[in-house]
Amino acid sequence: MDVAYVCEWEKRPKSNHCPSIPLVCAWSCRNLVAFTTDLKNEEEKDLTHMIHIIDTEHPWDIYSINSGHNEVITCLEWDQSGSRLLSADADGQIKCWGMAEHLVNGWESSLGSAVEGDPIVALSWLHNGVKLALHVEKSGSSNFGEKFSRVKFSPSLTLFGGKPMEGWMAVTVSGLVSVSLLKPNGTLLTASESLCRLRGRVALADIAFTGGGNIVVAATDGSSSSPVQFYKVCVGVVNEKCRIDTELLPSLFMRCTTDPARKDKYPAVTHLKFLTRENSEQVLLCASSQLGSIVECWSLRKEGLPVNNIFQHRSPVVGEKQPMILKWRILSATSDLDRVSAVALPKLPISISNTDLKVASDTKFCPGLGLALAFHDGSIHIVHRLSLQTMGVFYGSSASSQRGSEEPAIKRQRPAGTATHFKALQLSWTSLALVGVDNHGKLHMLRVSPSMGHTLDMNTSLRHLLFLLEYCMVTGYDWWDILLHVQPGMVHNLVDKLHEEYMRQNQALQQVLSTRIVAMKASLCKLSSATVARACDYHAKLLLIAISSTLKSLLRPHVLNTPDKSPGDRLAEICVKNVDTDIDKVMINLKTEEFVLDASTLQSLQQLIQWVGDLVLYLLASLPNQGSLVRPGFGFLRDGPSLGMLREMMVVIRIWGLLKPGCLPIYTATSDNQDSMSLLFRLLTKLWLCSRDENHPSEPDDSLIDECCLLPSQLLVPNMDWLPVNDGVVSKLQNKQPLRLQFGKPYSLPGLGSGAPVEIFSRSPGSQRMDNLRCLHLGVCPTEDSKACTRCGCVTMLRSPNKTTALKQWEQRWIKNCLCGGLWRRIPTTVS
């Protein structure tokens, strides 16, 4: 592991955090990190309880929320989509936060529940019934369905038709379980119930789910000599009221309390966690003293109940089985450790069957197998989730400067003063990165190697990263933490292998993942100077796919009783069959009445039509320079499907131009009688014919190249604004040198010239700014509020300047996400 970056929070309190004030952090599947701090006001009397949210690609752009909680925040929980956040405090207040205008740096709370005066010790969203298992044994399979199998799992509560009901559940310090259900109309149903008849103090608790739709709660009063209790919780809705039923399950006593040598050595249970939220049969326990800790892993097993000797000799009844009971058995335990300050558990749903564990061990595939333990000396140990054997160690700055790493942990001398250590720790969703908040209020990000430091050959390393990229592609999770481990030399092979695996899937799955894989390729290609031009092409392809599907969706059949195919499908079919280079001859074969739209709609689409026209001209003009890989557009010149899509759009635009000439793309020609669209369609068709057969592409003939050479003398070739400005941090981390950042201050690498890998195609300070989605020029110094994609940097105006329905429909497609699938963040007017 190595430090990727450290963020300093410049508004932290003057004194160090009191040990009694918990710091909490949570990492969402969209790579948003939320964490808490407590600020003293100027009079040093009251604490303001803050929630801070960042996206990992722009960690300096922090959004701080005065949470409104009156007591210390004890829990933060993201929902399964990564777009909503729960916060709970020591006064029993629970708040649900959602994005304001779908911006990652704008949050508001509209819902909440409360268990007045009863501190919350555990919090979770109800399960939605979606569970995947990741099979390392099948990592070489060509079928995504075998690698990532859907596990039969019931939601915690279902609505009519089996749809999961949303809501959350909390456990309080007095032994209450509180459930809040979010009804479809937006109102909350809330109920509370005691975990058991004899209520007692609950110092620590955790929540897990079973495949049958039940909820399991683990609870302890904080003393290692007391039992760790487990309860089954069933939630239902009866007569429009929430109903909670609880049942006592088998409990356990920690092994260290029964060991004579350690009986009173670790009096307090400091951490209690189910190993995964979907596995209620494995639990991790940590008992501590002021000097050290011990960690134990327990598993729930089904065992036969021994029968008294009196009944041993009776004749057995036919079909009778031995009675079975559930019993907790210890799986593993550590030796004496330094004092544990935080625990982070893996979220990657890796299958832990014997064959999968063996393949993972043989190939050194470690993501999902390790959990992180942070210690008071500043170090972090990654230990195996089942055996608790150490897999990797990171020595923090204070630890490494104070002692050598060769000494055993128990013998090392403590550093003087207050050592920097993590009070909150979270693993990313692929377990390739760690985020932590230390006792001085600083945020740290660390890489976690997929092989946990083992030296692997290049093919194995690529296979590990490819496997995780495929997992993100199937689930829709953000893959930022995987990019931390991609070196520039890997990019080309990763993109090619990703494409090969994608092409092996069935047609339906390919269609579902079609834009996601293009976005993934674009973010990979930005990491290397040799492939950054391909990133431009992938961004252009995303926009082309979106414009093509939007324009086709505007076509309507002339009569209602039409055959199965839509006008868009018939357009594609005719354009594939008719290879004529004359655009008017292709147009004759179409039912032009299906293309009729009112003039105002056509005029409002001009900016998108202009982009298509400019792209065609740019690509044809760049054909003579096709040998240059660093030139944007190279990827299109051999891409038969994309060229075919452009050809279809040219036909549609030609027909619409007959209805409304003002919607046609504007070309600056040297001749007044030049039919620019006919010329471009003829050359585009010739180029498409060379590459429409992907298995046997042919080289463009000399006459086509000669005609393309003449294009700049016939038409003014536009300077395409290919790549949105990318100001993220991931491309700055490829050299594995630690970065030190400060909130509120964007990071820039000193001494970088124009030859830096990612800055090749970025805009110069005095150039026109573009609205990348509306294809509009915003001017050199835009005055409109704008938002930018956290992943690709695509910029668009926050408010719509358009009034027509067609353009509003186009803009509505990108309200929640960018066309690459990334989230939006508001950017200052001066930066946009």
Side-chain angles (χ1 to χ4, degrees):
M1 292 191 299
D2 55 89
V3 178
Y5 59 72
V6 180
C7 281
E8 258 186 64
W9 191 42
E10 57 189 7
K11 298 178 182 177
R12 63 180 184 272
K14 295 172 185 176
S15 58
N16 290 338
H17 284 278
C18 170
S20 63
I21 295 179
L23 284 175
V24 191
C25 71
W27 195 330
S28 83
C29 62
R30 307 298 298 274
N31 278 319
L32 299 178
V33 174
F35 63 102
T36 63
T37 55
D38 300 288
L39 291 180
K40 292 181 180 177
N41 64 10
E42 293 178 1
E43 290 79 24
E44 298 277 327
K45 291 179 182 177
D46 300 320
L47 285 176
T48 303
H49 307 289
M50 306 291 292
I51 299 174
H52 311 283
I53 297 174
I54 63 166
D55 77 273
T56 50
E57 180 70 335
H58 305 87
W60 53 81
D61 186 12
I62 188 168
Y63 186 75
S64 299
I65 309 166
N66 185 344
S67 66
H69 285 289
N70 296 322
E71 294 292 335
V72 172
I73 297 169
T74 55
C75 303
L76 288 177
E77 281 291 325
W78 290 101
D79 73 346
Q80 290 90 346
S81 69
S83 58
R84 286 183 300 181
L85 180 71
L86 289 177
S87 63
D89 66 18
D91 190 39
Q93 300 291 326
I94 301 172
K95 294 190 176 186
C96 178
W97 302 89
M99 294 183 193
E101 298 181 292
H102 307 289
L103 299 170
V104 296
N105 49 2
W107 293 79
E108 58 190 7
S109 174
S110 55
L111 290 169
S113 59
V115 188
E116 294 294 343
D118 208 351
I120 306 294
V121 293
L123 182 66
S124 174
W125 290 88
L126 297 182
H127 205 282
N128 62 359
V130 177
K131 184 188 176 186
L132 282 180
L134 185 141
H135 300 281
V136 184
E137 180 196 8
K138 304 280 188 181
S139 60
S141 169
S142 60
N143 187 352
F144 284 173
E146 292 179 4
K147 296 179 186 180
F148 319 110
S149 64
R150 180 79 179 262
V151 179
K152 191 175 181 182
F153 210 86
S154 298
S156 304
L157 189 62
T158 54
L159 295 164
F160 179 77
K163 182 182 177 183
M165 192 169 190
E166 294 184 315
W168 58 82
M169 173 180 168
V171 180
T172 72
V173 77
S174 70
L176 276 181
V177 56
S178 173
V179 175
S180 298
L181 304 176
L182 185 59
K183 294 173 70 176
N185 62 7
T187 58
L188 274 180
L189 282 179
T190 303
S192 298
E193 187 63 58
S194 176
L195 278 172
C196 61
R197 290 179 182 177
L198 295 173
R199 280 172 66 182
R201 179 176 180 267
V202 176
L204 295 170
D206 199 20
I207 300 167
F209 302 93
T210 68
N214 295 321
I215 305 165
V216 177
V217 174
T220 174
D221 64 5
S223 170
S224 60
S225 58
S226 300
V228 178
Q229 301 278 8
F230 294 85
Y231 307 91
K232 182 170 82 172
V233 179
C234 301
V235 181
V237 177
V238 180
N239 297 327
E240 289 296 308
K241 290 185 178 180
C242 180
R243 178 177 171 178
I244 305 170
D245 295 312
T246 62
E247 179 186 329
L248 194 62
L249 297 176
S251 58
L252 66 87
F253 281 92
M254 287 192 70
R255 171 66 63 85
C256 62
T257 60
T258 60
D259 182 353
R262 294 192 176 102
K263 187 172 183 183
D264 301 314
K265 192 172 182 181
Y266 302 109
V269 180
T270 52
H271 297 90
L272 164 62
K273 299 275 186 184
F274 286 108
L275 279 180
T276 64
R277 275 284 158 89
E278 284 98 5
N279 186 354
S280 61
E281 298 176 355
Q282 288 181 336
V283 69
L284 186 82
L285 295 161
C286 175
S288 304
S289 66
Q290 288 297 317
L291 299 175
S293 299
I294 191 167
V295 177
E296 297 177 359
C297 184
W298 290 74
S299 178
L300 190 63
R301 305 269 176 88
K302 197 176 275 190
E303 296 183 357
L305 190 66
V307 181
N308 194 287
N309 290 336
I310 297 173
F311 305 102
Q312 290 287 356
H313 303 293
R314 72 181 181 86
S315 56
V317 179
V318 176
E320 185 182 34
K321 294 181 181 179
Q322 182 184 13
M324 306 293 283
I325 60 166
L326 291 171
K327 197 167 185 178
W328 286 98
R329 291 288 185 188
I330 191 163
L331 270 182
S332 53
T334 63
S335 54
D336 295 326
L337 303 170
D338 198 356
R339 191 173 165 204
V340 173
S341 61
V343 177
L345 295 169
K347 302 181 183 73
L348 194 70
I350 187 168
S351 169
I352 52 173
S353 66
N354 290 333
T355 50
D356 280 301
L357 288 175
K358 185 179 186 307
V359 172
S361 174
D362 292 344
T363 60
K364 303 294 185 292
F365 181 84
C366 300
L369 288 178
L371 57 94
L373 302 176
F375 295 95
H376 272 260
D377 65 356
S379 65
I380 298 175
H381 289 224
I382 305 288
V383 299
H384 196 282
R385 58 187 283 183
L386 300 180
S387 67
L388 298 182
Q389 296 294 312
T390 301
M391 301 167 71
V393 182
F394 166 74
Y395 295 108
S397 55
S398 61
S400 59
S401 62
Q402 292 285 339
R403 65 194 187 204
S405 59
E406 303 299 321
E407 299 177 71
I410 202 73
K411 294 181 181 178
R412 290 175 188 142
Q413 200 170 5
R414 265 169 217 289
T418 306
T420 298
H421 62 270
F422 292 97
K423 296 195 70 176
L425 205 62
Q426 280 270 312
L427 275 163
S428 70
W429 282 66
T430 60
S431 298
L432 293 188
L434 264 170
V435 68
V437 186
D438 67 21
N439 54 327
H440 299 294
K442 291 182 184 177
L443 187 76
H444 299 253
M445 181 73 67
L446 294 89
R447 289 180 235 255
V448 182
S449 165
S451 62
M452 213 54 70
H454 291 97
T455 304
L456 300 178
D457 62 89
M458 181 60 81
N459 283 336
T460 308
S461 298
L462 282 173
R463 195 161 63 245
H464 289 175
L465 294 175
L466 181 68
F467 190 40
L468 293 172
L469 284 169
E470 290 167 352
Y471 169 71
C472 289
M473 187 160 62
V474 168
T475 58
Y477 296 159
D478 194 82
W479 54 88
W480 178 89
D481 42 340
I482 303 174
L483 300 181
L484 288 175
H485 301 269
V486 178
Q487 296 303 306
M490 298 179 175
V491 171
H492 187 79
N493 286 335
L494 262 181
V495 170
D496 287 352
K497 289 181 181 295
L498 195 65
H499 183 75
E500 286 174 18
E501 292 298 320
Y502 168 78
M503 293 305 293
R504 291 176 182 172
Q505 308 312 307
N506 61 56
Q507 198 66 37
L509 186 57
Q510 282 188 28
Q511 195 168 352
V512 170
L513 303 177
S514 59
T515 54
R516 203 173 288 165
I517 188 174
V518 177
M520 194 171 275
K521 289 176 182 177
S523 57
L524 285 167
C525 286
K526 283 185 180 180
L527 301 178
S528 167
S529 58
T531 55
V532 71
R534 291 177 67 182
C536 303
D537 296 347
Y538 289 129
H539 278 288
K541 187 172 181 177
L542 282 172
L543 190 53
L544 173 62
I545 292 169
I547 291 175
S548 172
S549 60
T550 298
L551 297 189
K552 282 183 180 178
S553 70
L554 295 172
L555 308 181
R556 293 287 181 268
H558 186 56
V559 287
L560 291 177
N561 55 341
T562 54
D564 296 336
K565 289 178 182 173
S566 67
D569 292 334
R570 281 201 296 278
L571 168 69
E573 191 178 80
I574 289 169
C575 286
V576 168
K577 287 181 180 177
N578 193 327
V579 296
D580 204 302
T581 57
D582 188 338
I583 190 169
D584 294 323
K585 289 183 179 177
V586 177
M587 190 174 68
I588 289 171
N589 294 305
L590 292 165
K591 296 178 180 178
T592 51
E593 62 269 17
E594 295 178 341
F595 293 74
V596 175
L597 293 175
D598 62 88
S600 61
T601 300
L602 288 175
Q603 189 60 53
S604 68
L605 296 170
Q606 202 278 331
Q607 64 221 42
L608 303 182
I609 291 171
Q610 183 70 47
W611 186 87
V612 173
D614 286 348
L615 178 62
V616 172
L617 175 54
Y618 179 91
L619 293 177
L620 292 171
S622 64
L623 181 61
N625 298 320
Q626 60 181 312
S628 173
L629 278 170
V630 297
R631 186 179 176 87
F634 175 81
F636 277 97
L637 301 179
R638 294 288 182 275
D639 187 353
S642 293
L643 293 173
M645 208 180 293
L646 284 169
R647 195 166 170 266
E648 292 168 20
M649 290 300 97
M650 293 287 279
V651 174
V652 173
I653 293 166
R654 182 73 161 191
I655 297 173
W656 284 346
L658 300 175
L659 300 171
K660 177 70 176 175
C663 78
L664 288 171
I666 298 167
Y667 296 108
T668 305
T670 54
S671 171
D672 292 337
N673 57 0
Q674 170 79 57
D675 188 349
S676 303
M677 285 205 69
S678 292
L679 172 64
L680 293 176
F681 184 83
R682 181 166 57 81
L683 298 178
L684 179 64
T685 302
K686 288 183 178 180
L687 181 60
W688 168 69
L689 288 172
C690 295
S691 55
R692 67 171 177 165
D693 186 355
E694 292 184 33
N695 298 320
H696 302 92
S698 59
E699 289 296 317
D701 57 27
D702 292 341
S703 63
L704 174 59
I705 293 176
D706 289 343
E707 286 191 85
C708 289
C709 283
L710 292 173
L711 267 180
S713 63
Q714 296 170 304
L715 297 168
L716 181 65
V717 179
N719 181 19
M720 294 293 288
D721 198 353
W722 283 89
L723 191 65
V725 177
N726 182 24
D727 60 344
V729 78
V730 71
S731 58
K732 318 291 195 300
L733 300 171
Q734 300 310 304
N735 58 6
K736 297 196 174 183
Q737 292 300 312
L739 300 183
R740 188 167 293 274
L741 311 174
Q742 193 166 15
F743 290 129
K745 295 184 179 178
Y747 182 76
S748 58
L749 279 175
L752 274 183
S754 59
V758 181
E759 284 76 8
I760 290 179
F761 301 106
S762 62
R763 312 285 79 79
S764 59
S767 63
Q768 285 266 345
R769 299 297 194 266
M770 281 287 294
D771 184 319
N772 300 107
L773 284 183
R774 296 183 177 91
C775 305
L776 292 173
H777 289 279
L778 300 178
V780 177
C781 297
T783 55
E784 291 291 324
D785 288 337
S786 299
K787 58 185 180 181
C789 174
T790 57
R791 181 184 290 158
C792 71
C794 175
V795 173
T796 187
M797 284 182 285
L798 202 57
R799 308 274 178 267
S800 171
N802 297 302
K803 305 296 181 188
T804 57
T805 305
L807 255 293
K808 283 186 176 179
Q809 287 174 347
W810 167 258
E811 291 162 353
Q812 283 295 319
R813 296 183 65 171
W814 321 115
I815 286 290
K816 290 185 178 180
N817 303 104
C818 174
L819 49 80
C820 75
L823 296 168
W824 295 113
R825 65 187 184 101
R826 183 194 291 266
I827 52 176
T829 307
T830 53
V831 178
S832 64

